């Protein structure tokens, strides 16, 4: 460890935060919880007010978003995660709609100021470099632009390669805290998710370069790829589901055009096994989100296959992925970045996959999106659409053909009402389209 590094306590470090400051927190597993706790203590003591906080999704508690801190902290997140969902929906916190690729641009362009960046890093090496580990995303941009950088040095932060390395001279204050990183565990896919996974896997070709998010459906897709060959990874994030495919050699990156042989990501969310996997692993490049999510960089690889999900889809192919009506549930994230990037890739495939109904049996395929629902992926961006009842290709299809195809993979209990809505919307000619469209 570099002898030039001097440590202080979390309580002393957060004294640099002044009323009215703008603070960035590193994301997901790397949220610096000891600094967050100390900052909130200052808020409770009335030492600061009107502090603006920005971050992507974070794992673990988010006490600064508690309604009791109204007027003290204002959270404007780039993605509405589960730990801040209720307070965002109730108005105590807010959301900045932004493509994940451009979160870094908010800082670098000066649209958002950054007075203090609070991050978590690995133990410094003999050259004085630390790694941002599991969270490069917009955090690197915040470090570059912040007036003051406070870093929690944590032996559990993996030493990741790529853009993750920063020199300790870029950091103003150091705090030691060896608390294990927050882990994310996912449920075993149910029958519906397994069916969706099979249909998606059938669209994945040997040599494809994959992007997929988190949760049961991506894990169900990955579980079906054991007999594929030479798959690559260029994604915004990955989790435990990729590890067996790496170990078996299915994922090797040999067919990638850029970053050949490397798995490229910008943040991680998973178990300790994932964090251990990227530690000192030159086969993984943790990159700036402006690189991983740039559609034109994404498209340089061939056969980019992007698999993303949705909350609701209408019969013309409009994809709502961030809200339930007017109620915000998540965010734009990287869906559009990768849908567009995959569509530009030679042999690429852009896939939207979701269960056909909610847990209460309501159709997630609707004649029109709910009032106030946001269109994340437009009808002109969408290509493949998958439910547990099949996969359909909407690219180049007319509105009436799309309605027929989308209805064909809706839950059988809802197909008649969707057919009726299409007939009412498009007129009697829809019957002709219905007959000629091949499912």
């Amino acid at each position: 460890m570099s002898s030039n590094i001097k440590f202080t306590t979390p309580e002393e470090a957060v004294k640099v935060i002044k009323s009215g400051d703008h603070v960035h927190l590193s994301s997901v597993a790397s949220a610096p919880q000891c600094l967050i706790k100390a900052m909130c203590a200052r808020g409770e003591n009335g030492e600061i007010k009107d502090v603006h906080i920005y971050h992507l999704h974070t794992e673990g508690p988010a006490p600064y978003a508690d309604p009791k801190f109204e007027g003290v902290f204002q959270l404007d997140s780039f993605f509405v995660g589960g730990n801040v969902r209720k307070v965002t929906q109730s108005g105590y916190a807010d959301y900045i709609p932004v493509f994940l690729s451009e979160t870094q641009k908010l800082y670098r362009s000066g649209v958002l100021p950054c007075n203090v960046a609070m991050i978590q890093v690995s133990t410094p090496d003999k050259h004085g470099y630390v790694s941002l580990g599991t969270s490069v995303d917009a955090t690197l941009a915040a470090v570059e632009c912040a007036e003051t950088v406070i870093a929690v040095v944590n032996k559990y932060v993996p030493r990741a390669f790529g853009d993750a390395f920063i020199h300790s001279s870029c950091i103003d204050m150091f705090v030691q805290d060896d608390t294990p990183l927050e882990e994310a565990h996912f449920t075993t896919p149910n029958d519906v998710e397994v069916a969706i996974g099979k249909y998606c896997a059938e669209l994945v070709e040997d040599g494809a370069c994959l992007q997929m998010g988190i949760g049961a459906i991506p894990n169900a897709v990955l579980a079906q790829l054991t007999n594929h060959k030479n798959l690559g990874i260029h994604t915004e994030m990955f989790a435990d589901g990729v590890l067996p495919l790496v170990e078996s050699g299915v994922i090797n990156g040999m067919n990638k055009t850029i970053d050949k042989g490397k798995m490229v990501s910008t943040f991680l969310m998973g178990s300790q096994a994932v964090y251990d996997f990227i530690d000192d692993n030159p086969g993984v490049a943790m990159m700036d989100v402006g690189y991983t999510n740039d559609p034109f960089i994404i498209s340089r690889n061939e056969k980019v296959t992007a698999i993303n999900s949705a909350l609701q889809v209408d019969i013309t192919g409009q994809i709502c992925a961030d809200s339930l009506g007017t109620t915000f549930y998540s965010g734009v994230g990287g869906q559009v970045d990768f849908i567009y990037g995959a569509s530009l890739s030679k042999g690429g495939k852009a896939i939207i996959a979701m269960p056909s109904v909610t847990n209460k049996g309501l159709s997630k395929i609707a004649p029109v999106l709910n009032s106030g629902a946001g269109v994340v992926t437009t009808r002109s961006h969408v290509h493949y659409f998958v439910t547990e009842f099949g996969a359909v290709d909407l690219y180049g299809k007319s509105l009436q053909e799309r309605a027929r195809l989308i209805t064909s993979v809706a839950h059988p209990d809802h197909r008649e009402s969707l057919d009726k809505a299409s007939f009412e919307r498009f007129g009697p000619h829809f019957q002709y389209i219905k007959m000629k469209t091949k499912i």
Side-chain angles (χ1 to χ4, degrees):
M1 184 180 294
S2 173
S3 59
N4 296 325
I5 293 176
K6 305 299 181 184
F7 287 87
T8 187
T9 65
E11 293 74 22
E12 282 296 314
V14 299
K15 286 182 180 179
V16 301
I17 301 173
K18 305 180 300 295
S19 293
D21 271 356
H22 297 250
V23 177
H24 174 85
L25 304 179
S26 53
S27 311
V28 197
S30 289
Q33 294 296 339
C34 68
L35 296 179
I36 291 170
K37 183 178 178 180
M39 178 182 67
C40 289
R42 288 196 69 203
E44 284 189 291
N45 294 337
E47 298 175 29
I48 49 176
K49 62 180 180 179
D50 299 325
V51 173
H52 300 263
I53 296 174
Y54 305 108
H55 60 63
L56 290 161
H57 169 66
T58 59
E59 288 289 294
Y64 44 83
D66 192 291
K68 72 180 182 181
F69 286 119
E70 186 174 19
V72 178
F73 301 119
Q74 172 58 44
L75 170 64
D76 296 326
S77 60
F78 304 146
F79 188 89
V80 184
N83 58 349
V84 298
R85 187 168 292 137
K86 288 184 178 179
V87 289
T88 302
Q89 292 170 351
S90 61
Y92 289 101
D94 211 344
Y95 160 62
I96 298 175
V98 60
F99 297 124
L100 189 58
S101 60
E102 295 189 5
T103 53
Q104 50 78 31
K105 186 178 179 181
L106 293 176
Y107 291 128
R108 289 177 172 139
S109 68
V111 170
L112 294 181
C114 186
N115 303 105
V116 181
M118 302 203 305
I119 65 176
Q120 192 159 206
V121 299
S122 68
T123 302
D125 64 19
K126 64 182 180 180
H127 303 292
Y129 282 90
V130 297
S131 175
L132 293 169
T134 61
S135 176
V136 177
D137 45 69
T139 296
L140 181 60
V143 169
E144 293 172 357
C145 299
E147 296 169 3
T148 304
V149 178
I150 309 173
V152 174
V153 176
N154 186 337
K155 69 180 183 181
Y156 291 104
V157 173
R159 186 173 179 268
F161 288 78
D163 290 336
F165 280 124
I166 57 175
H167 195 267
S168 55
S169 60
C170 299
I171 298 168
D172 299 289
M173 307 178 76
F174 294 87
V175 171
Q176 185 79 43
D177 180 31
D178 290 329
T179 301
L181 301 184
E182 294 280 347
E183 296 183 62
H185 299 283
F186 309 105
T187 59
T188 302
N190 60 30
D191 291 344
V192 169
E193 292 156 345
V194 169
I196 294 170
K198 288 180 178 178
Y199 284 118
C200 288
E202 289 173 0
L203 296 172
V204 177
E205 300 178 32
D206 286 343
C209 185
L210 302 179
Q211 175 266 333
M212 56 185 65
I214 57 175
I217 290 177
N219 285 341
V221 177
L222 292 165
Q224 303 296 324
L225 300 178
T226 54
N227 292 321
H228 279 64
K229 298 177 181 178
N230 300 326
L231 300 180
I233 297 289
H234 183 114
T235 185
E236 63 197 33
M237 66 80 57
F238 64 82
D240 294 67
V242 303
L243 300 186
L245 296 178
V246 175
E247 292 167 3
S248 66
V250 171
I251 292 176
N252 56 32
M254 289 299 102
N255 279 36
K256 294 179 70 176
T257 305
I258 59 171
D259 303 308
K260 196 177 187 71
K262 294 183 183 294
M263 298 171 63
V264 172
S265 185
T266 194
F267 68 88
L268 299 175
M269 185 174 173
S271 72
Q272 186 63 43
V274 175
Y275 309 150
D276 292 341
F277 171 72
I278 72 164
D279 184 47
D280 258 337
N281 187 347
V284 178
M286 297 297 293
M287 304 298 288
D288 189 293
V289 72
Y291 179 85
T292 60
N293 283 56
D294 183 329
F296 298 100
I297 290 175
I298 293 166
S299 68
R300 289 173 62 189
N301 282 308
E302 296 184 6
K303 295 185 181 180
V304 173
T305 303
I307 303 174
N308 290 272
S309 194
L311 296 172
Q312 190 181 43
V313 176
D314 76 5
I315 56 174
T316 71
Q318 293 190 114
I319 309 298
C320 174
D322 64 351
S323 64
L324 299 168
T326 58
T327 302
F328 279 92
Y329 187 82
S330 56
V332 173
Q335 181 172 123
V336 177
D337 298 331
F338 276 94
I339 290 292
Y340 189 43
S343 70
L344 296 175
S345 164
K346 182 179 179 181
K349 294 178 181 178
I351 301 169
I352 296 291
M354 71 173 195
S356 64
V357 295
T358 68
N359 292 335
K360 295 181 179 180
L362 300 176
S363 180
K364 297 179 71 170
I365 298 171
V368 295
L369 298 179
N370 291 345
S371 178
V375 176
V376 170
T377 296
T378 71
R379 58 171 71 98
S380 55
H381 280 105
V382 70
H383 286 207
Y384 289 92
F385 177 59
V386 179
T387 73
E388 70 271 29
F389 295 104
V392 292
D393 185 0
L394 306 178
Y395 189 60
K397 303 299 193 297
S398 70
L399 293 174
Q400 294 184 41
E401 289 176 304
R402 284 162 174 256
R404 177 57 184 147
L405 288 167
I406 292 171
T407 299
S408 74
V409 294
H411 192 284
D413 291 349
H414 299 284
R415 291 177 191 172
E416 184 177 349
S417 62
L418 290 169
D419 263 339
K420 181 180 178 182
S422 297
F423 181 83
E424 292 172 350
R425 181 169 184 169
F426 300 117
H429 180 67
F430 178 71
Q431 293 297 328
Y432 169 72
I433 294 294
K434 181 176 176 180
M435 287 185 290
K436 82 165 189 173
T437 302
K438 294 180 179 180
I439 305 301

